Amino acid sequence: MVAILVVFTIILFVGADLVVQWVRQRRARTVLVAQASRGSAADLLLPTLQPERFSLPGGLFFHRGHTWVNLLFSGQVKVGVDDFLQRLLGHVDAITLPPIGVEVKQGQPFVAIRQGGRTATLPAPVDGVVCAVNGELAKAPGLLKRDPYTRGWLVALRPTNLAANLPQLRVGENALVWLKAELARLQEFLHITLTIKRDALVGATAADGGLLADGLLEHLDDETWAEFQARFLRA
Amino acid sequence: MKGAILFDSTKCIGCEACVAACKEKHDLPAAIDPKLTAYTWTVVEQRNKAFVRRLCMHCESPTCVSVCPVEAFRKEPSGPVVYDASRCIGCRYCIMACPFDVPKYQWDRTTPIVQKCNMCADRIAVGKEPACAAVCPTGATIFGDRDQLIGEARVRLKAAPTTYVPHIYGLEEVGGTSVLMLSSVPFPSLGIRPDLPVTPLPTLTWKALSKVPDVVVVGGALLYGIWWITNRRIRVQEALAQEAAKKG
Amino acid sequence: MRKDAEAMNDTRWPEITFWRLVFLVLAATGTVVAILRYSRGLGATTNLSDQFPWGLWIGFDVLTGVGLAAGGFTITAVVHLFNLKRFTPIVRPTVLTAFLGYVFVILALLFDLGQPHRIWHAIVMWNPRSVMFEVAWCVMLYTTVLALEFSPIVFERLNLERPRRIVRAISVPLVIVGVILSTLHQSSLGSLYLIVPMKLHPLWYSPLLPVFFFVSAMAAGLAMVIVESSLCQRAFNHHLEMDLLEPLGRAMVVVLSVYGILRVQDLARRGALLGLRRPGYEGSMFLLEMGLGVLLPIILLAIPRVRARQPGLVTGAFLAILGFVMHRLNVSVTGMERAAGVAYFPSWMEIALSLALVAAGFAVFGLAVRYLPIFPEAPHRASGVEAPAWLLARSASMVAGGSPEPLSPPSAPAGVK
């Protein structure tokens, strides 16, 4: 009987927690809707959308579709996703990389990231031929999130048109200016979306009722997701 | 001499003089509990028209001595199993483990200790017999050397084979006890466990415990070996990568 | 501006949430019970008796608590000895859980022992033939090891470079010692019951008890890491690392299967399975324990599709934990009741104190996560500041070095889990 008692108590507490979570999500959504009607839902995101919260290594070149390029001594370049996208993305289920030998073009989709039933395609930051892919990502897609700039690299390219491509990318101070602009744009995007569609955001609240940028995309409905992809992961 | 008690159920008239003497000897409260408690170290029970005494059996290889983490129990060479309350931390493993359910706890106290019959070890030390044996009017409880008492028990069994069940309880149970019992009715009907193994119970845990040094030595070597191999593999890989980097 | 907001958050009176309220209630009752237990004694506060000297505090707080903290030695061994470094992100929360687990086991013992002020006796008064003595020493030493394993996190927070380097230098021997100590006392908790062959019900008594305790603790430790990660995700918005946890689920299938087969084989050999044809109280409890707590999680976690998704993985792990809890309580309570001749059910005070201890554990964990670097963060989060040059240089050398082949799997396209 004691075993039953203890097991039952544990189940009781877990059940209570599920109820608490459910209630909190519902309440958070009502708060959001209320905020949205005052046009300030996205303001809740403000603290987590500060540029200093995002990592932006100085030596990398950033494409406006949130991929980066690292010029290597050998002449090859390494390519990956930036911290902004990694944060917003949340969990990653699988990553599809291009086969070795394939030629990619700047701005053209070259990598697909799957999350649940949805897929985001990323634009290639430069023209080039794929000469290596990060095999570790197949085993552990989470690397992309944990270490987007080093161990989470996507592919290595032999660039074919670097001189023409590089001016399209941002580096150093330019990259920082661009990141700030992107954050402002995101703010605006969420603001407008949530004002029009109040239930586009499905319970992405922190413990204190605020919104979190981390994993934000997980909580957007499919339509808003597609909209985000079109506006931020652009060519 | 290795002291022991022989209790012959056929001679017991249930007068409880032993209980009273025990209470007096150990300054225990006079009220007699129906079962063994921290304040009643021996009782006389009536079962199937026979009387049987309950008291610590003073095992030859006592379970309580082996389980106690702080060695609060000790088997005296003179027979008794004694308890040193000043060492006890109150884990109650002895109460849980004793095959005869003898050690009892002072549940009503804030810092309780374990209590049980100690065969009046202090009396034995000065050459006297335990209080219960000294007071017994019929000779149902007698005290003496264990081997001599076993001989005495065998004599009684032989002399009156129809009176007794042919078993000296405590001769072999859990490796032998320093309290021996004779009875005219089967022991289970007296509420005494018949199913105890003849091997001392402490050997069961000792089998597991004696492997501890092996686990430490073999386990340590094995784990270090695993670490050495995996670590070396990584070092080699790093060195190769560095070399490749230099060449490139 | 962000700093200001944070400062405001810190000085603000904490919001009263449901669980904080529950914690306050549990902590308050726990405090009252603790005072009662020390002023009135064990007899007045517990339902323990001479027939049933070990109850909920031993069965749950100690036996179960130590087992559930077993994730500590499994994960540190996996990361530091088997060098599977990708599990590194879960080492810190796991070591913290293990450390807190052991601290609370010791606290529970201070309530359960009749002479708690003499707990140190085990250090100076030795009885090497006592299983309890061995457990006491292992728990003592292992708690120290866990404290050392955890200490770099505190040093990191306080910026104490020297002690941190010292602990790091001895980290491998520390892990080895930790694994050995855990092996010893996890199994010895089972050995405690080897001495009662005629008291413990044959469905649970076995000469293999130490092995069962060890193997099931390993499974429970892994399950705890999974469930705990999902709790952390829920409480601290920390992302669940499915690609790390899924292999743990796979490992659980292996460990649980080994455990289940050993148990059933052992029962069959001793003929104890026959009693299950008409299961009574003990039989039903046994079937519940093995069915819901061993068989079902094996089935759930063996299905790749179930294991790969969070709800399936967490449910499987949760069931395994319940099974583990049932096993420990069946050994310590259910299996001992018949021989004791009395049924034991804990008093409300025993339950309240156990709940308060668990609640305190949760609270301390929450505080630690808040004030110590428990969860790995992005290593560099400065904006536009110089790149982590050494990191980039190192990874660059790997591709720049020569042929990129070693980095790419032979069959492209890669990816797709």
Side-chain angles (χ1 to χ4, degrees):
Chain A
M1 282 307 116
V2 181
I4 301 277
L5 166 83
V6 172
V7 165
F8 186 75
T9 311
I10 296 175
I11 294 176
L12 191 77
F13 272 82
V14 171
D17 187 51
L18 289 177
V19 173
V20 167
Q21 281 186 69
W22 182 74
V23 169
R24 180 185 288 171
Q25 279 195 3
R26 272 187 52 132
R27 199 182 296 161
R29 207 185 299 167
T30 9
V31 170
L32 271 179
V33 170
Q35 299 262 8
S37 59
R38 277 185 275 128
S40 60
D43 293 350
L44 290 173
L45 269 168
L46 260 179
T48 51
L49 285 187
Q50 295 305 309
E52 56 264 32
R53 291 220 164 196
F54 292 84
S55 155
L56 201 67
L60 301 186
F61 292 81
F62 291 87
H63 185 263
R64 63 183 195 160
H66 294 280
T67 46
W68 52 259
V69 175
N70 186 14
L71 306 182
L72 303 178
F73 188 67
S74 63
Q76 295 176 349
V77 299
K78 258 191 180 181
V79 173
V81 303
D82 73 355
D83 198 34
F84 172 91
L85 179 56
Q86 171 272 115
R87 285 288 175 86
L88 292 175
L89 203 54
H91 81 269
V92 173
D93 286 325
I95 301 168
T96 314
L97 300 174
I100 290 172
V102 148
E103 194 169 351
V104 301
K105 285 267 174 252
Q106 187 177 43
Q108 303 281 311
F110 78 126
V111 164
I113 296 180
R114 193 163 61 74
Q115 177 191 83
R118 312 191 279 206
T119 308
T121 53
L122 309 177
V126 291
D127 301 349
V129 177
V130 178
C131 54
V133 297
N134 186 353
E136 280 187 58
L137 281 182
K139 276 181 283 172
L143 266 185
L144 185 86
K145 280 199 59 59
R146 277 199 295 286
D147 214 352
Y149 292 120
T150 48
R151 292 178 62 208
W153 60 282
L154 296 169
V155 300
L157 300 175
R158 187 159 39 76
T160 48
N161 201 11
L162 204 52
N165 288 157
L166 276 189
Q168 312 297 321
L169 307 178
R170 292 147 196 84
V171 65
E173 290 78 18
N174 285 348
L176 183 56
V177 171
W178 163 76
L179 175 66
K180 283 181 179 161
E182 284 292 282
L183 289 171
R185 227 157 56 78
L186 176 66
Q187 178 90 7
E188 194 190 330
F189 166 73
L190 291 169
H191 185 108
I192 294 170
T193 317
L194 293 177
T195 314
I196 302 169
K197 267 185 73 178
R198 288 176 182 182
D199 49 358
L201 195 62
V202 199
T205 49
D208 54 1
L211 275 173
L212 275 190
D214 290 24
L216 184 73
L217 288 181
E218 286 180 36
H219 302 285
L220 296 177
D221 64 358
D222 287 352
E223 197 185 331
T224 319
W225 216 77
E227 188 70 21
F228 173 88
Q229 158 140 16
R231 281 167 184 267
F232 288 89
L233 310 182
R234 53 204 170 138
Chain B
M1 178 186 102
K2 183 181 250 179
I5 287 176
L6 174 64
F7 171 73
D8 188 334
S9 166
T10 61
K11 297 191 174 194
C12 182
I13 53 169
C15 68
E16 293 191 327
C18 49
V19 182
C22 176
K23 292 250 176 194
E24 195 190 333
K25 159 75 182 72
H26 299 289
D27 289 326
L28 297 170
I32 298 171
D33 300 311
K35 296 207 162 203
L36 290 187
T37 66
Y39 308 104
T40 304
W41 297 355
T42 182
V43 290
V44 180
E45 290 177 359
Q46 186 175 18
R47 290 180 189 242
N48 290 327
K49 292 178 193 149
F51 293 101
V52 62
R53 271 192 75 192
R54 290 296 159 112
L55 71 167
C56 176
M57 300 294 284
H58 300 279
C59 310
E60 300 292 283
S61 312
T63 303
C64 52
V65 172
S66 105
V67 298
C68 180
V70 290
E71 234 172 22
F73 287 94
R74 202 174 61 247
K75 172 79 177 172
E76 300 266 320
S78 59
V81 174
V82 294
Y83 164 78
D84 177 358
S86 69
R87 297 175 82 98
C88 180
I89 59 173
C91 73
R92 310 187 296 283
Y93 193 12
C94 48
I95 305 176
M96 180 273 212
C98 174
F100 301 104
D101 293 320
V102 165
K104 300 294 170 190
Y105 213 45
Q106 298 174 326
W107 293 103
D108 54 333
R109 310 235 169 139
T110 44
T111 49
I113 56 172
V114 175
Q115 296 281 263
K116 72 169 193 68
C117 157
N118 59 10
M119 218 193 241
C120 297
D122 51 342
R123 287 175 59 102
I124 294 176
V126 295
K128 296 196 222 164
E129 50 185 358
C132 54
V135 81
C136 184
T138 62
T141 299
I142 56 171
F143 176 79
D145 177 67
R146 186 167 186 265
D147 292 333
Q148 281 175 12
L149 286 183
I150 291 170
E152 166 69 20
R154 287 204 172 113
V155 168
R156 289 188 199 177
L157 287 184
K158 207 169 208 173
T162 49
T163 319
Y164 292 101
V165 290
H167 183 63
I168 306 172
Y169 194 91
L171 185 63
E172 285 182 321
E173 274 79 7
V174 292
T177 61
S178 291
V179 171
L180 305 163
M181 291 194 178
L182 292 175
S183 165
S184 55
V185 295
F187 285 97
S189 64
L190 288 177
I192 291 177
R193 315 191 71 108
D195 56 348
L196 293 178
V198 292
T199 48
L201 294 178
T203 53
L204 292 172
T205 40
W206 182 243
K207 265 186 221 157
L209 266 182
S210 57
K211 299 204 173 69
V212 166
D214 298 350
V215 171
V216 171
V217 174
V218 177
L222 196 73
L223 290 171
Y224 181 79
I226 289 171
W227 172 78
W228 189 80
I229 291 170
T230 49
N231 190 52
R232 191 177 150 70
R233 204 179 290 159
I234 287 174
R235 287 276 158 78
V236 168
Q237 269 173 5
E238 270 173 10
L240 283 178
Q242 259 175 15
E243 228 163 81
K246 264 186 216 155
K247 264 188 240 158
Chain C
M1 182 181 154
R2 188 179 128 243
K3 284 219 173 90
D4 290 351
E6 254 184 16
M8 260 173 58
N9 272 347
D10 282 351
T11 50
R12 203 178 52 187
W13 196 246
E15 186 197 353
I16 296 180
T17 62
F18 174 74
W19 286 121
R20 284 182 186 153
L21 201 68
V22 170
F23 170 74
L24 286 180
V25 172
L26 291 180
T29 8
T31 314
V32 173
V33 173
I35 294 169
L36 283 175
R37 182 258 169 267
Y38 284 124
S39 57
R40 304 263 174 88
L42 284 170
T45 42
T46 68
N47 280 351
L48 298 175
S49 61
D50 284 327
Q51 288 72 43
F52 224 96
W54 283 3
L56 186 70
W57 290 347
I58 293 290
F60 178 72
D61 301 24
V62 176
L63 291 186
T64 312
V66 166
L68 291 182
F73 85 91
T74 341
I75 295 297
T76 50
V78 162
V79 170
H80 294 295
L81 300 183
F82 295 87
N83 263 313
L84 296 175
K85 294 288 185 213
R86 66 198 169 106
F87 290 102
T88 309
I90 49 178
V91 168
R92 287 184 169 192
T94 312
V95 169
L96 173 63
T97 321
F99 178 58
L100 289 180
Y102 276 86
V103 169
F104 281 95
V105 163
I106 294 172
L107 279 180
L109 268 180
L110 286 176
F111 287 103
D112 186 77
L113 289 180
Q115 309 267 357
H117 54 287
R118 295 194 188 145
I119 193 169
W120 55 273
H121 278 195
I123 305 176
V124 289
M125 302 176 186
W126 289 26
N127 180 12
R129 299 188 82 87
S130 164
V131 181
M132 184 76 90
F133 168 80
E134 191 227 318
V135 171
W137 267 91
C138 283
V139 167
M140 215 150 55
L141 291 175
Y142 187 53
T143 310
T144 315
V145 167
L146 280 170
L148 282 173
E149 283 180 345
F150 185 70
S151 66
I153 303 170
V154 181
F155 295 147
E156 201 171 288
R157 179 75 170 76
L158 301 175
N159 275 326
L160 296 170
E161 199 42 49
R162 255 182 75 88
R164 197 181 140 194
R165 228 177 301 144
I166 295 171
V167 176
R168 177 155 297 177
I170 56 165
S171 71
V172 169
L174 214 53
V175 170
I176 293 181
V177 170
V179 172
I180 292 175
L181 287 172
S182 298
T183 313
L184 288 179
H185 73 267
Q186 293 286 1
S187 55
S188 290
L189 287 176
S191 309
L192 283 179
Y193 287 85
L194 284 179
I195 200 119
V196 286
M198 54 298 152
K199 290 189 183 178
L200 184 55
H201 194 278
L203 280 172
W204 291 284
Y205 184 87
S206 157
L208 289 180
L209 264 174
V211 180
F212 295 157
F213 266 60
F214 177 66
V215 180
S216 59
M218 265 185 11
L222 293 172
M224 274 300 278
V225 175
I226 295 173
V227 169
E228 194 189 303
S229 300
S230 103
L231 279 178
C232 288
Q233 173 203 31
R234 173 232 174 291
F236 312 113
N237 267 297
H238 177 78
H239 273 284
L240 203 62
E241 323 230 14
M242 280 305 285
D243 54 319
L244 292 187
L245 299 183
E246 190 266 352
L248 295 189
R250 220 176 327 156
M252 274 184 64
V253 176
V254 179
V255 181
L256 277 179
S257 304
V258 169
Y259 172 70
I261 292 169
L262 277 176
R263 281 288 299 275
V264 175
Q265 248 187 354
D266 169 70
L267 285 171
R269 202 172 31 232
R270 289 184 297 108
L273 275 182
L274 293 176
L276 287 175
R277 277 184 303 193
R278 246 178 295 120
Y281 169 49
E282 283 93 354
S284 318
M285 295 294 265
F286 173 83
L287 289 178
L288 208 61
E289 173 201 327
M290 293 298 281
L292 288 181
V294 180
L295 198 62
L296 192 57
I298 291 180
I299 295 172
L300 278 178
L301 295 174
I303 304 171
R305 274 186 48 212
V306 176
R307 189 176 62 216
R309 302 240 157 260
Q310 188 191 339
L313 185 69
V314 174
T315 310
F318 182 65
L319 282 173
I321 290 176
L322 291 186
F324 171 84
V325 171
M326 279 206 77
H327 176 246
R328 294 305 193 258
L329 288 166
N330 279 342
V331 169
S332 59
V333 180
T334 314
M336 300 288 284
E337 276 174 320
R338 189 176 294 263
V342 293
Y344 162 81
F345 197 82
S347 70
W348 71 267
M349 287 182 272
E350 290 178 81
I351 300 172
L353 195 71
S354 299
L355 283 176
L357 283 174
V358 176
F362 271 84
V364 176
F365 189 92
L367 288 177
V369 168
R370 191 154 175 187
Y371 293 109
L372 295 171
I374 305 291
F375 292 115
E377 293 281 352
H380 28 266
R381 49 171 32 178
S383 62
V385 207
E386 77 184 282
W390 63 274
L391 274 176
L392 294 175
R394 211 174 70 153
S395 56
S397 72
M398 287 172 73
V399 168
S403 70
E405 259 82 82
L407 289 171
S408 58
S411 64
V416 188
K417 192 168 71 174

